[in-house]
Amino acid sequence: MLNRAISLRCGWIWLILLLVLGGVPGAGLAEPVTSLPAAIGRGPAVPVPCKVSFGKRVLWYVPNRFMDLVDVFRFRVRVGPGLAAGMRVTDFGSFYFGEYHSVYGGLPGPRNLRYVRLPVGVESLKGVVFCGVNATDDTPYGPEYGPTEVDVGVHLGVAGMEAGFDPLEFADFLTGFFFFDFERDDYPRPRTPGPLLSSGVTRGTTQGMFMLGEKPPVFTNFTDRLDYLHTNIHQRINRPFRTIDDYFAPEILERGAVVPDSRLRLGLYGETVRGRTRTYTLQVDADLDVALPQMENRLHVFAQSGHADELPGLPLSETKDRSLIVGARRFLKHSSIATDLGVRIKLHPRAFARVTWRPRYDSGPWSVSPQQRFFMDSNERLGSLSTVFIDRWLGDGHDYYAGSTTSAKYTQDSSQWVWEQSLRLGWVRELLERKASIGRFGRRDIAIGHDLSVHVFGTEEGVNTYRFMFGMRRPLYQRWILGIIEPGLEWTEDNDYQTAYRVMLGVDMLFWGSSSR
């Protein structure tokens, strides 16, 4: 009886193994495995899915769930020479600058169709990634990020670390419990050759709908990287909107309409104030203007930092709204009125609406531009901003200018008025675009110039800030990277009107037109 029981048990074991490994007769036979051709010397070939029996999928179920979970996270320590920093929110929002050569240990991140990624290895990366445009050198030991990975890393001197999370891999992990594998990385699968070379952004080499220029394997110098970034960041911004614009109104383009470029301005500003205490701030500013000539009578798209609704002379370090505004603008015909609808993006996004009236009156060297704006958002935050800009060119060659700004703002949450009066006198050697010399222009229209400005700020109770500033603007590279320095003095109510010293250093990057303008 005992031998018979053992025989029956062994028979059941062999039957279960047969079902697991073979499944339905014939189902366990995999079709011939082929691979899509990879770019020469670049990312891994992508396998064409082959049929796998249900029995094999059950056998590999636990190992696959473990590997899918490991793919979700990147957490590594690096050791080796280098100086670099990077962050990414998917490929489209990836940034990196520096160079390092290291060995690493820890969770390596997504396999990206590799058969396996070891928790230890060699890694190096040199170059720049900006707004998802990759200007790094190809390397056999790149980090190989996932296209949707969110990541931050730093390398200082001889050591560094990096941590990341990939939401697409997390979705692959969750759906894997129900035998879905949209990342096509479950075992068993064919062993495809790993990439010979990689770089700073994702897998593969195709440029997709953005039609970016071909990236050289190695950049000969830093200025080549800058030129590549300027051309291709503009292309990445411009191409999708051009495609949408052409689709909705192709008849205007067929009549030979000139398509103006979209414009992206990015700024990075650091400021220090030394009074009773010393403070340091670092601010990022963004302004995207998308010109849609085929749809301009219907829609205008924009994105800008939230301080656009602040007093115009207020330093970025003192603005309360750190959000990003993305919306659509419609200009009313034969008027100076524009209506905006969109989203104010913060930790908790809010819908917003805005109406602006802004005519301009020019008379010889004089330009007067009143502005009235009403705004509100989904938190019932109502507000009003009233401003008058007065500017005048001085001298026969338009080398000097004087300007006045008077502004007042009211918001429902503060329940009081705040105001500003500013005067400025400046010298202009070069403008970014000559057409800006006609009518009103702002500091950001100046390529080379100096100015002196006096600002007075206050509330309904009276004056609370006096500020005197001296500003300088110069191109740092070509005419699309501009350096800014503004030292000054201030006297504030919070500092008992004692003298405080402030210095602002900034960089403006202009992504449109020719790099030399």
Side-chain angles (χ1 to χ4, degrees):
M1 293 292 293
L2 180 61
N3 291 336
R4 184 179 179 184
I6 293 175
S7 298
L8 288 173
R9 183 174 300 174
C10 289
W12 280 109
I13 291 174
W14 281 110
L15 179 61
I16 292 172
L17 288 176
L18 179 63
L19 291 174
V20 168
L21 297 176
V24 180
L29 301 177
E31 294 181 352
V33 176
T34 60
S35 295
L36 299 177
I40 297 175
R42 300 296 289 270
V46 181
V48 175
C50 59
K51 290 184 178 180
V52 178
S53 70
F54 181 75
K56 286 185 178 180
R57 296 171 68 186
V58 172
L59 180 65
W60 283 96
Y61 185 82
V62 174
N64 279 326
R65 300 296 70 74
F66 174 77
M67 294 303 296
D68 283 346
L69 180 61
V70 171
D71 284 342
V72 174
F73 303 100
R74 181 189 300 261
F75 187 81
R76 302 179 302 180
V77 175
R78 299 192 297 248
V79 177
L83 184 64
M87 64 169 292
R88 55 184 291 118
V89 182
T90 76
D91 262 358
F92 300 102
S94 54
F95 298 84
Y96 170 83
F97 182 85
E99 178 181 2
Y100 65 88
H101 304 270
S102 68
V103 294
Y104 70 84
L107 296 176
R111 282 170 288 170
N112 288 343
L113 299 179
R114 281 185 177 271
Y115 197 76
V116 67
R117 291 191 71 179
L118 298 177
V120 293
V122 179
E123 185 175 291
S124 65
L125 191 62
K126 176 183 178 181
V128 182
V129 179
F130 199 86
C131 292
V133 175
N134 179 20
T136 61
D137 294 343
D138 288 349
T139 169
Y141 311 110
E144 297 184 30
Y145 297 106
T148 61
E149 191 170 352
V150 179
D151 180 278
V152 61
V154 64
H155 197 105
L156 300 174
V158 296
M161 66 179 300
E162 187 172 28
F165 170 82
D166 195 321
L168 186 63
E169 293 288 354
F170 184 64
D172 183 55
F173 165 69
L174 294 179
T175 57
F177 285 102
F178 305 98
F179 294 97
F180 292 104
D181 178 31
F182 56 82
E183 281 290 274
R184 295 189 292 178
D185 56 3
D186 281 359
Y187 303 117
R189 60 186 175 93
R191 286 182 175 270
T192 57
L196 299 180
L197 296 173
S198 60
S199 53
V201 178
T202 67
R203 52 177 119 161
T205 61
T206 59
Q207 304 296 343
M209 66 182 291
F210 302 106
M211 299 183 182
L212 305 185
E214 184 66 24
K215 185 183 80 68
V218 177
F219 290 87
T220 57
N221 52 57
F222 186 67
T223 58
D224 287 346
R225 298 184 199 273
L226 292 178
D227 292 337
Y228 180 84
L229 288 171
H230 179 266
T231 300
N232 290 284
I233 288 174
H234 173 254
Q235 185 77 348
R236 169 160 280 189
I237 297 295
N238 201 46
R239 175 64 60 174
F241 290 107
R242 291 282 75 77
T243 302
I244 295 172
D245 196 27
D246 296 347
Y247 175 81
F248 281 101
E251 69 282 354
I252 300 179
L253 188 65
E254 293 172 357
R255 295 200 297 266
V258 177
V259 180
D261 287 336
S262 300
R263 298 188 173 207
L264 173 64
R265 183 192 296 266
L266 294 176
L268 180 64
Y269 310 99
E271 189 171 42
T272 178
V273 180
R274 182 178 179 181
R276 283 183 174 178
T277 61
R278 182 174 296 180
T279 61
Y280 301 90
T281 58
L282 185 65
Q283 295 287 329
V284 177
D285 190 27
D287 189 2
L288 173 64
D289 180 24
V290 179
L292 302 176
Q294 279 78 275
M295 299 173 61
E296 65 179 358
N297 292 327
R298 312 172 198 177
L299 203 63
H300 183 86
V301 179
F302 69 94
Q304 58 187 193
S305 300
H307 64 77
D309 292 331
E310 300 284 358
L311 294 174
L314 199 65
L316 285 178
S317 59
E318 297 180 11
T319 58
K320 298 179 180 180
D321 193 339
R322 306 295 172 83
S323 63
L324 176 67
I325 298 174
V326 179
R329 176 171 298 150
R330 182 182 180 90
F331 293 95
L332 301 184
K333 291 183 178 181
H334 312 298
S335 74
S336 301
I337 298 176
T339 58
D340 300 342
L341 291 174
V343 177
R344 194 180 296 273
I345 302 174
K346 297 179 70 173
L347 183 61
H348 302 290
R350 305 192 305 264
F352 86 97
R354 186 166 60 191
V355 178
T356 304
W357 173 71
R358 187 171 183 174
R360 194 180 79 185
Y361 308 100
D362 298 324
S363 177
W366 289 91
S367 176
V368 179
S369 178
Q371 173 183 288
Q372 179 59 55
R373 173 176 294 173
F374 299 100
F375 52 87
M376 68 176 183
D377 60 30
S378 54
N379 285 357
E380 298 183 355
R381 176 178 172 264
L382 303 175
S384 170
L385 178 66
S386 305
T387 308
V388 177
F389 301 97
I390 302 175
D391 297 279
R392 190 187 193 283
W393 285 103
L394 305 174
D396 295 335
H398 286 180
D399 295 328
Y400 302 91
Y401 68 93
S404 169
T405 301
T406 305
S407 186
K409 176 184 175 182
Y410 176 86
T411 57
Q412 190 178 36
D413 50 0
S414 65
S415 298
Q416 68 171 346
W417 287 91
V418 294
W419 56 269
E420 167 199 357
Q421 176 60 58
S422 299
L423 300 174
R424 59 189 178 124
L425 178 66
W427 167 74
V428 178
R429 179 178 173 183
E430 288 186 25
L431 290 168
L432 292 174
E433 296 174 298
R434 195 59 196 168
K435 66 180 182 180
S437 64
I438 302 174
R440 185 181 184 274
F441 71 100
R443 277 185 174 182
R444 288 188 167 186
D445 297 311
I446 299 173
I448 302 176
H450 305 151
D451 70 5
L452 294 170
S453 59
V454 178
H455 306 265
V456 181
F457 297 92
T459 64
E460 296 174 0
E461 286 76 25
V463 176
N464 56 27
T465 301
Y466 299 91
R467 184 171 294 132
F468 176 81
M469 303 294 292
F470 173 68
M472 295 180 289
R473 295 177 67 89
R474 288 287 189 280
L476 299 179
Y477 179 70
Q478 302 280 357
R479 286 168 62 87
W480 67 275
I481 301 181
L482 304 178
I484 307 162
I485 179 170
E486 290 185 3
L489 305 173
E490 70 176 17
W491 301 265
T492 66
E493 184 179 22
D494 293 339
N495 198 37
D496 292 334
Y497 296 103
Q498 296 182 13
T499 302
Y501 306 90
R502 64 188 305 141
V503 177
M504 190 277 285
L505 300 174
V507 176
D508 268 351
M509 292 167 283
L510 317 178
F511 296 101
W512 71 80
S514 169
S515 59
S516 60
R517 304 196 183 281

